[in-house]
Amino acid sequence: MWPFNKKNSYQVLPEIGHSYVMENGEPMLTYYRPNSGLFCSTPLSTNDTPYLLNIRRPIVMDVKDIAPIEIPNDLPTECDGIIFKNYGKYYITAFYVKNKSLQSMSF
């Protein structure tokens, strides 16, 4: 069960002029997982479509050994996504975006 309730206060990261979804100074490729609604740092198969994400005011949550996770329904309005660290069996990084059509781009 998700360890948060309605009385949460979230630390929204500041605007840095570009997306927080970066790796070694370059935009990170992510892969959408329809079952969870999250973008993940690793593909499930070689046919997975890569996406670039634009998350500029995220919160970061460590979800190691927490399952299932749920998206909090009380996110601050300035927050446009969540970065989940240590997600799943292999402790990868996963991302939630508030607006998939505006904040993700496939190629």
Side-chain angles (χ1 to χ4, degrees):
M1 187 71 187
W2 190 252
F4 299 99
N5 59 39
K6 286 283 190 187
K7 298 176 186 168
N8 293 312
S9 63
Y10 301 104
Q11 181 69 35
V12 180
L13 296 180
E15 171 72 44
I16 57 173
H18 58 78
S19 177
Y20 274 88
V21 187
M22 304 285 283
E23 186 173 56
N24 300 322
E26 297 292 327
M28 175 192 288
L29 294 180
T30 63
Y31 304 88
Y32 185 67
R33 300 209 180 151
N35 290 349
S36 65
L38 300 176
F39 292 87
C40 294
S41 59
T42 59
L44 290 176
S45 75
T46 56
N47 296 329
D48 284 357
T49 301
Y51 286 83
L52 297 177
L53 301 179
N54 187 17
I55 302 177
R56 293 178 172 262
R57 296 290 316 271
I59 60 173
V60 179
M61 296 181 173
D62 187 338
V63 292
K64 184 175 182 179
D65 300 325
I66 297 173
I69 63 166
E70 296 176 16
I71 305 304
N73 60 4
D74 61 343
L75 293 174
T77 55
E78 69 272 17
C79 174
D80 62 354
I82 304 172
I83 300 172
F84 293 108
K85 297 291 189 177
N86 300 308
Y87 174 76
K89 181 179 178 181
Y90 298 105
Y91 303 119
I92 63 171
T93 303
F95 307 91
Y96 163 77
V97 294
K98 275 189 174 175
N99 188 326
K100 184 180 173 192
S101 64
L102 292 177
Q103 293 178 260
S104 66
M105 179 181 76
S106 67
F107 56 95

